Amino acid sequence: MRQTLTQLLDALDKKLSSKITSTNIAFNELTIEINASDSHGVCETLRDEFDFDQLIDVCGVDYSHYGMDEWQTNSATGTGFSRGFNSKTHGRGQSVKQVDAEAKQPARYAVVYHLMSITNNQRLRVKAFCAEDEFPIIDSVVDLWPSANWFEREAFDLFGIVFQGHPDLRRLLTDYGFIGHPFRKDFPLSGNVEMRYDADKGRVVYEPVSIEPRVLVPRIVRKASGETNA
């Protein structure tokens, strides 16, 4: 299996060496990284010359807190309960430390394509990094794989990544009047607004969030000295 991926990597390197910025083979999976400006051309080459005729998924990623951890103990982690640790930092504590300097990504936002070649029975992951953090933009691949339509709308809705050339780029999962993009790392855990039905006005109204932030730290129960299980 690894030899097959190695051969695919060699072929990709010969054809797209000027476009590929990084490669990695791990867990029997091949990942290549490119710039967003090259995404459409690379994807077209992968479809037409490497037989990756099926698009499995397109998703967005926000790397703004990648490799950072607020828990510095041997048993606790930076996931799960720690997400509500400090409301002022949207779920990240004030003592956040960079645990791995090499883990820093080239940009905040990336679009990840999962491709499959039915002919060659191979899979490939393509990760394209957007050039601007303030306004992430990348070319749509709907013209290459029509199945990308709703995937790209989902990434636009949740991450605010703009897919240039998309035929109908609208929100997909959130409400029409939704503010912000909920999968961004700096989005408030309780949101920006809440909605309720107002009987006097006879309609749904939007108001500022009234939920008080909670500290979600796991409670550890220790047995008293000499106590045994029943």
Side-chain angles (χ1 to χ4, degrees):
M1 182 66 178
R2 185 173 178 84
Q3 181 62 32
T4 302
L5 293 179
T6 302
Q7 291 175 346
L8 174 60
L9 178 57
D10 290 341
L12 292 173
D13 188 55
K14 291 179 181 178
K15 183 67 178 181
L16 301 168
S17 59
S18 61
K19 306 292 181 62
I20 298 176
T21 60
S22 177
T23 63
N24 181 47
I25 295 179
F27 305 105
N28 288 328
E29 297 179 350
L30 172 59
T31 302
I32 65 172
E33 295 182 5
I34 60 176
N35 295 318
S37 57
D38 298 322
S39 61
H40 191 277
V42 169
C43 286
E44 186 173 18
T45 299
L46 293 174
R47 186 196 65 172
D48 296 343
E49 300 186 32
F50 291 88
D51 296 322
F52 284 100
D53 47 4
Q54 186 169 355
L55 177 70
I56 302 296
D57 189 24
V58 179
C59 63
V61 183
D62 181 358
Y63 284 102
S64 60
H65 290 152
Y66 186 79
M68 304 178 75
D69 197 352
E70 64 203 26
W71 299 102
Q72 301 299 323
T73 69
N74 293 327
S75 58
T77 69
T79 60
F81 285 104
S82 68
R83 192 164 185 263
F85 184 69
N86 190 311
S87 61
K88 294 181 180 179
T89 54
H90 306 291
R92 291 288 170 177
Q94 295 178 344
S95 61
V96 171
K97 297 181 180 179
Q98 187 76 27
V99 296
D100 185 0
E102 296 181 356
K104 183 175 177 57
Q105 300 297 306
R108 175 175 176 177
Y109 296 103
V111 176
V112 182
Y113 307 88
H114 292 91
L115 308 179
M116 180 175 181
S117 170
I118 299 177
T119 302
N120 300 320
N121 191 25
Q122 288 182 320
R123 296 175 184 267
L124 176 66
R125 182 184 297 109
V126 181
K127 189 182 300 183
F129 285 91
C130 300
E132 298 183 20
D133 293 347
E134 296 299 322
F135 185 66
I137 186 171
I138 190 171
D139 288 335
S140 171
V141 294
V142 172
D143 60 323
L144 302 177
W145 299 287
S147 61
N149 192 325
W150 279 32
F151 292 141
E152 292 182 352
R153 284 182 59 187
E154 180 184 44
F156 165 71
D157 189 358
L158 301 180
F159 291 93
I161 299 173
V162 176
F163 291 85
Q164 187 171 251
H166 190 285
D168 187 22
L169 194 62
R170 294 177 290 128
R171 288 186 181 270
L172 182 66
L173 301 176
T174 57
D175 193 15
Y176 293 109
F178 194 87
I179 300 174
H181 304 282
F183 275 16
R184 289 188 172 187
K185 294 295 179 64
D186 55 3
F187 187 82
L189 297 181
S190 56
N192 291 304
V193 296
E194 63 184 24
M195 57 182 290
R196 65 176 179 84
Y197 179 78
D198 190 306
D200 295 332
K201 296 181 179 180
R203 61 181 175 85
V204 172
V205 297
Y206 292 86
E207 299 173 336
V209 174
S210 59
I211 301 174
E212 292 293 331
R214 295 183 302 159
V215 177
L216 301 178
V217 178
R219 180 185 177 189
I220 300 175
V221 179
R222 294 183 173 86
K223 297 182 182 299
S225 178
E227 184 179 351
T228 61
N229 293 327

